[in-house]
């Protein structure tokens, strides 16, 4: 190993400088580092020069605070004394200006007064809860998604937080995996755009602004491809698939200047991500030139021992730090092993210095050296956490996120003159459930700011309509005693709204399910209600695609509400009564049965593709099940209809340095004003590696008044035609490309082709 250790003379020089620094600091006349006219790099270097090895390692150490405990600290706890000694760089799960200020005060008692960073999983809102990220992705509305992250950052930063562990940018094709709810679905193109928007939203214009938080692209990498959809499971995939499907959203986050990355729990092709040199050192910090820092996932440094990748903590620490993982979340392995590794000459101090510099740089960029308490303004916290504009935004985004799956005979929207509505189901009056998984339990805030579906409907109809309620059954279990009451109120009503689904904590981390049916007897309840002959609008609440064949076949109308957050009830009522025309489209395929999983739209053709459901003989099909999904990627209805016409390509042959303009006219042919998400798919007909049957390459969300038409244009360039070939080179190969414009990945309305020439 190369010895990077300083010579004895250099060490003595440093010691003298340090002593002088401390004397000056204690005398109170040392100008703050930030006051000097230095670049951030110079400032970082000058702090680094002052640090002992222990203090450096302290910066790489992150601890959990006591979750939702607020108020003053217990001063003799071991964490407090470690912070006092400069032994901690960051805390997570510490909320509110009071508690964060008191922690930061402790950090200011340390020799070098290096401020702490406070991290939190602000995944879809802080106090105001926005729809779960998967729901938001169904809006395909990048500006709304950016705004949701912006507001979340504003609220969180007002409460002392300066780092969110979001966005999760993992592509997910397996709805058994509970964490599909945290991402943007199955498509790489769309998920990359959303990753970019979310990072921009969280980080704002400038990390130094008081209302910005650092974003964290996670989980690097391919965590969403856990085998069997089982959380934390291994991942095994070709490098082509990794580069083409799973890495682009991470690259988009880098392009958006994301401040931090989090590595992941899984091993990929046999190497745990936390100790993965290729991913962290070569790709992220090398090829992509990422200047921020990487935090481990919770105790994932130690996880490498359980994986059987490293023998003990000493080896695990060496592996993680050399692979590029800069900060150790909660495993304490860096703290307990890095100094020994350096002293044993097993680890070059350069690795530690590089990690420390990356972390200090972010602390400077956040402005924490200038003012460690800049995020601790209790007055601002009070104002931001009670800003009514944020609820308006949450309602707006929720309206854009729910997907209308079925609307037989235009049952929806319901007339506001409907006399009696029976509201049935275990989720009608639920309150906190609407927040979904990964909400933040802000200390001291009660549940009154979440609008239940019942309250939302009541707010909408006032006294004109009679609303009847029966719970009917529980989410899980086989309690049927409530069926009779539900059927009885259904009989008295003009129409039924039935709210069923998962519990909010049935999806999320460590919430993988092997059956993803609507649990319990909820679909049996629907059966009995339908037997009354009444029309039923079913609201399905969930954090993932569920399987609900009976409902899909028999209910008259279905809205997939996901979990819509604080304003769920109001937003749902807006859509049910037509004040808002639904416009969302699915960003993940809905299977008919778990047996179809993994199922996604951009699959290969295979050598034996079936043409339809009865074409199963020696075909890539199931003998006992359709291979076609229940609802495809890109699907979603509106109260109006859209016609697609006049597809025009600006040329038939395109050279690699040229572009093709593709235009089409979209007409709102129905009675309501509405929004349509027009999707552009391409298919590379013959390639040196087989190519997907279609790939989303662009989309436009357009507003059209009833009867109105608009012509939209897409540009196709070489980038949109490229893929990773057998040598892992990013190439666009000459040949025929099909162009498809559709209302979903299946509902292709316009089709043509062109040739790419050399
Ligand atoms: C999750 C991360 C999360 C971290 C901190 C881990 O278990 O995988 O996504 O950011 O905990 O809460």
């Amino acid at each position: 190993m190369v010895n990077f250790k300083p010579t004895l003379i250099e060490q003595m020089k440093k010691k003298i400088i340090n002593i002088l620094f401390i004397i000056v600091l204690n005398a109170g006349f040392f100008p703050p580092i930030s006051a000097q006219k230095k670049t951030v790099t110079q400032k970082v270097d000058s702090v680094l020069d002052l640090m002992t090895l222990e203090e450096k390692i302290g910066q790489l150490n992150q601890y959990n605070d006591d979750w939702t405990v607020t108020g003053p600290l217990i001063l003799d706890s071991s964490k407090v004394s470690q912070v006092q000694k400069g032994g901690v760089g960051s805390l997570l799960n510490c909320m509110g200006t009071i508690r964060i200020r008191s922690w930061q005060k402790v950090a200011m008692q340390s020799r070098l007064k290096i401020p702490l960073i406070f991290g939190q999983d602000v995944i879809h809102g802080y106090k105001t809860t926005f729809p779960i990220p998967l729901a938001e992705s169904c809006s395909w509305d990048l500006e709304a998604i950016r705004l949701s992250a912006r507001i979340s950052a504003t609220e969180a930063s007002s409460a002392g937080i300066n780092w969110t562990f979001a966005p999760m940018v993992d592509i997910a094709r397996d709805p058994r995996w509970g964490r599909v709810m945290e991402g943007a679905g199955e498509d790489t193109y769309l998920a990359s755009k959303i990753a970019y928007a979310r990072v921009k939203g969280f980080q704002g214009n400038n990390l130094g602004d008081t209302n910005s938080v650092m974003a964290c692209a996670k989980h690097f990498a391919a965590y969403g491809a856990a085998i069997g959809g089982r959380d934390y499971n291994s991942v095994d995939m070709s490098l082509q698939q990794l580069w083409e499907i799973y890495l682009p959203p991470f690259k988009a986050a880098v392009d958006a200047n994301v401040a931090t990355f989090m590595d992941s729990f899984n091993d990929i092709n046999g190497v745990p991500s936390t100790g993965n040199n290729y991913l962290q050192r070569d790709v992220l910090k090398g090829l992509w030139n990422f200047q921020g820092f990487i935090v481990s996932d919770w105790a994932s440094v130690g996880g490498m021992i359980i994986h059987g990748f490293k023998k003990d903590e000493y080896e695990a620490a060496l592996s993680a730090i050399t692979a590029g993982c800069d900060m150790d979340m909660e495993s304490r392995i860096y703290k307990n092993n890095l100094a020994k590794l350096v002293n044993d000459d097993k680890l070059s101090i350069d690795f530690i210095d590089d990690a420390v510099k990356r972390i200090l740089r972010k602390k400077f960029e956040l402005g924490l050296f200038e003012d460690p308490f800049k995020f601790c303004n209790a007055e601002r916290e009070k104002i931001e956490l009670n800003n009514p504009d944020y609820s308006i935004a949450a309602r707006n985004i929720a309206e854009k996120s729910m997907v209308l799956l079925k609307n037989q005979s235009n049952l929806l929207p319901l007339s506001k003159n409907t006399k009696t509505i029976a509201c049935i189901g275990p989720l009608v009056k639920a309150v906190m459930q609407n927040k979904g998984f990964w909400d933040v339990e802000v200390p001291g805030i009660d549940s009154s700011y979440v609008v239940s579906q019942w309250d939302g409907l009541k707010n909408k109809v006032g006294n004109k309509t009679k609303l009847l309620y029966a719970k009917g059954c529980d989410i899980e279990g086989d309690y049927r005693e409530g069926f009779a009451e539900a059927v009885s109120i259904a009989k008295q009503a003009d129409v039924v709204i039935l709210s069923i689904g998962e519990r909010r904590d049935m999806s999320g981390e460590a919430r993988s399910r092997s059956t993803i049916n609507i649990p319990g007897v909820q679909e049996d309840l629907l059966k009995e209600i339908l037997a009354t002959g009444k029309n039923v609008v079913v609201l399905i609440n969930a954090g993932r695609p569920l399987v609900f064949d009976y409902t899909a076949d028999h209910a008259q109308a279905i809205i997939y509400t996901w979990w819509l957050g604080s304003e769920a009830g109001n937003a749902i009522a807006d859509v049910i009564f037509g004040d808002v025309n639904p416009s969302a489209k699915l960003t993940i395929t809905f299977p008919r049965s778990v047996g179809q999983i993994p199922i996604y739209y951009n699959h290969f053709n295979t050598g034996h593709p079936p043409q339809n459901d009865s074409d199963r003989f020696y075909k890539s099909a199931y003998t006992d099940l359709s291979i076609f999904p229940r609802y495809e990627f890109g699907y979603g209805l509106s109260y109006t209809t859209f016609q697609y016409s006049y597809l025009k390509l600006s040329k038939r042959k395109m050279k690699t340095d040229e572009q093709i303009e593709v235009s089409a006219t979209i007409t709102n042919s129905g009675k309501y004003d509405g929004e349509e998400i027009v999707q552009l798919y391409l298919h590379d007909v013959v390639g040196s590696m087989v190519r997907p049957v279609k790939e989303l390459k662009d989309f436009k969300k357009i507003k059209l008044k009833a009867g109105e038409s608009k012509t939209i244009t897409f540009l196709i360039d070489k980038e949109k035609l490229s893929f990773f070939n057998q040598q892992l080179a990013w190439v666009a190969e000459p040949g025929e490309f099909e162009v498809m414009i559709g209302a979903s990945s299946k509902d292709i309305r316009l089709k043509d082709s062109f040739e790419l020439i050399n």
Side-chain angles (χ1 to χ4, degrees), residues 431-432 435 445-452 566:
V431 180
M432 300 308 268
K435 294 180 78 182
I445 306 277
D446 66 20
S447 58
S448 59
Y449 72 100
V450 180
V451 183
S452 71
S566 319

Side-chain angles (χ1 to χ4, degrees), residues 47 51 114 356-364 369:
V47 176
M51 296 173 82
I114 299 177
V356 175
K357 283 203 259 184
R358 287 169 180 272
I359 294 164
L360 292 180
R361 168 173 286 278
K362 293 301 158 204
K363 292 186 175 185
F364 273 110
F369 274 102

Side-chain angles (χ1 to χ4, degrees), residues 392-429:
I392 296 171
R395 180 169 179 167
N396 189 267
I397 295 165
E399 290 160 356
K400 294 176 177 202
S401 302
M402 68 190 98
V403 188
L404 180 64
L405 295 180
K406 187 172 180 186
N407 195 16
Q408 200 173 294
S409 314
N410 294 329
L411 174 61
L412 289 173
L414 297 183
S415 154
K416 286 182 188 155
N417 296 322
T418 311
K419 287 214 175 67
T420 309
I421 302 176
C423 304
I424 301 174
L427 287 154
V428 170
K429 286 202 173 173

